[in-house]
Amino acid sequence: MRIRLSVIVGSLVGLSVAGVYPGPAAPSSIAANTRTMRVMTYNIHVGIGMDKKLDLPRIAGVINAQHPDLVGLQEVDRGVERTQRIDEIAELAKLTHMDYAFAFNLRYQGGQYGVAILSRFPISSFDHRLYKNTREAERRGFIRAEVAINGRTVNFVTTHLDYQYDDGRVFEAEQLLSALKDVKGPLIVVGDFNDIPAGRSYQLMRYQFDDSWIAGRGMDEGFSYPADKPVKRIDYILPRSSDRVRTKRVWTVSTLASDHVPVVADLEIGKQ
């Protein structure tokens, strides 16, 4: 959802992961030299939990408990006054021992605000696009990273779509699809779409992408917002249908570390 820019940030506190479901153990298939990986999408609300406190170790604890290989993050600050000018993605990368890439969609309070990727594997390259949608005050975009997993290049994308307007989300989804149409190799898009499954931008994505929650037969409705009483499914993991990516398992993580809960999936990539 849209970050409330007026929020007052509390002091950084120690590690606290209360309410985090530990989730399954790290997938052993990666070590067994197969093409199975665990991905997560997480809107971290600039590290501010439902208790209104800024706590990046808590966010890192949520991530670490799930042992993901790739994480798409939304609402990430870098050098912003409201979050004590912390380079949040660099700090999270340090706390999770993962590589990272960051792309800012707008400048705010002397710093940058945008989307980011954490990767258990080295990121070989990444690119960033801003959407041509200026009606909403909060500018949007996506970041795509290339990661080599067991000798195969995987394209991992995270995005954050328009909060206010349905036609704005559709416009952005159209640009996203256009920008990715020539990407070779397995492609996985994750993010906060600010759209429920009945929405037009979600439906547009489904022409070319599978929904891991449906494919993996999630145990419940997959609601991800708000974290204290989830009633909406707006955060998605979407593997491209033509890439033979199979969802083996999918779940949400119960935590109040942000105003969203993460969605996590184990994906198996078919052989070339």
Side-chain angles (χ1 to χ4, degrees), residues 35-36 152 186 243-246 267-272:
R35 295 189 179 95
T36 300
R152 191 166 187 188
D243 293 329
R244 295 197 306 155
V245 176
R246 184 172 71 92
L267 305 180
E268 184 176 74
I269 301 177
K271 295 180 180 180
Q272 289 178 298

Side-chain angles (χ1 to χ4, degrees), residues 6 12 16 49 54 77 84 98 127 141 145 217 231 254:
S6 61
L12 265 174
S16 172
L54 172 64
D77 273 357
Q84 304 172 13
M98 299 175 83
D127 62 6
R217 299 181 180 180
V231 294
S254 178

Side-chain angles (χ1 to χ4, degrees), residues 14-255:
L15 176 62
S16 172
V17 205
V20 177
Y21 168 64
S28 60
S29 50
I30 290 266
N33 198 32
T34 64
R35 295 189 179 95
T36 300
M37 59 188 172
R38 180 167 294 174
V39 303
M40 170 188 284
T41 182
Y42 195 9
N43 182 325
I44 65 168
H45 195 238
V46 300
I48 298 172
M50 296 301 289
D51 57 4
K52 308 300 182 184
K53 293 180 180 179
L54 172 64
D55 192 340
L56 288 179
R58 179 168 57 183
I59 293 289
V62 173
I63 295 170
N64 286 333
Q66 301 304 311
H67 311 286
D69 298 297
L70 294 166
V71 184
L73 301 173
Q74 307 86 46
E75 297 193 6
V76 182
D77 273 357
R78 172 178 265 179
V80 177
E81 181 181 347
R82 67 180 169 198
T83 44
Q84 304 172 13
R85 302 205 178 279
I86 297 168
D87 186 340
E88 292 194 328
I89 187 59
E91 184 65 17
L92 288 172
K94 178 181 176 182
L95 291 168
T96 59
H97 306 288
M98 299 175 83
D99 197 6
Y100 73 91
F102 173 81
F104 73 93
N105 295 329
L106 61 87
R107 298 185 184 276
Y108 183 69
Q109 291 184 349
Q112 301 171 341
Y113 168 76
V115 289
I117 287 170
L118 293 169
S119 174
R120 192 72 59 193
F121 303 89
I123 295 173
S124 57
S125 66
F126 69 93
D127 62 6
H128 170 233
R129 305 283 183 90
L130 283 172
Y131 297 131
K132 297 175 182 178
N133 179 14
T134 57
R135 180 171 52 168
E136 190 188 33
E138 183 177 327
R139 193 77 184 271
R140 309 284 176 166
F142 74 86
I143 185 172
R144 177 182 67 92
E146 292 187 355
V147 180
I149 298 179
N150 295 327
R152 191 166 187 188
T153 298
V154 174
N155 292 272
F156 187 67
V157 175
T158 189
T159 191
H160 189 193
L161 299 189
D162 191 321
Y163 169 74
Q164 293 180 283
Y165 305 105
D166 176 69
D167 60 345
R169 287 189 291 274
V170 172
F171 182 38
E172 291 168 351
E174 290 172 342
Q175 293 172 72
L176 175 64
L177 290 170
S178 177
L180 298 177
K181 63 183 176 62
D182 295 325
V183 170
K184 307 299 182 184
L187 171 62
I188 302 159
V189 176
V190 307
D192 175 2
F193 280 71
N194 278 315
D195 203 15
I196 61 174
R200 291 195 298 155
S201 62
Y202 169 88
Q203 293 295 328
L204 183 62
M205 294 295 297
R206 292 284 277 122
Y207 282 111
Q208 299 180 35
F209 289 80
D210 295 329
D211 181 341
S212 283
W213 195 265
I214 295 173
R217 299 181 180 180
M219 296 291 290
D220 51 37
E221 297 91 343
F223 294 158
S224 57
Y225 181 86
D228 57 345
K229 186 179 287 188
V231 294
K232 292 183 179 181
R233 187 160 84 93
I234 59 175
D235 298 274
Y236 301 102
I237 296 172
L238 306 172
R240 186 166 57 185
S241 305
S242 60
D243 293 329
R244 295 197 306 155
V245 176
R246 184 172 71 92
T247 302
K248 299 175 67 177
R249 185 177 183 185
V250 62
W251 63 97
T252 58
V253 182
S254 178
T255 172

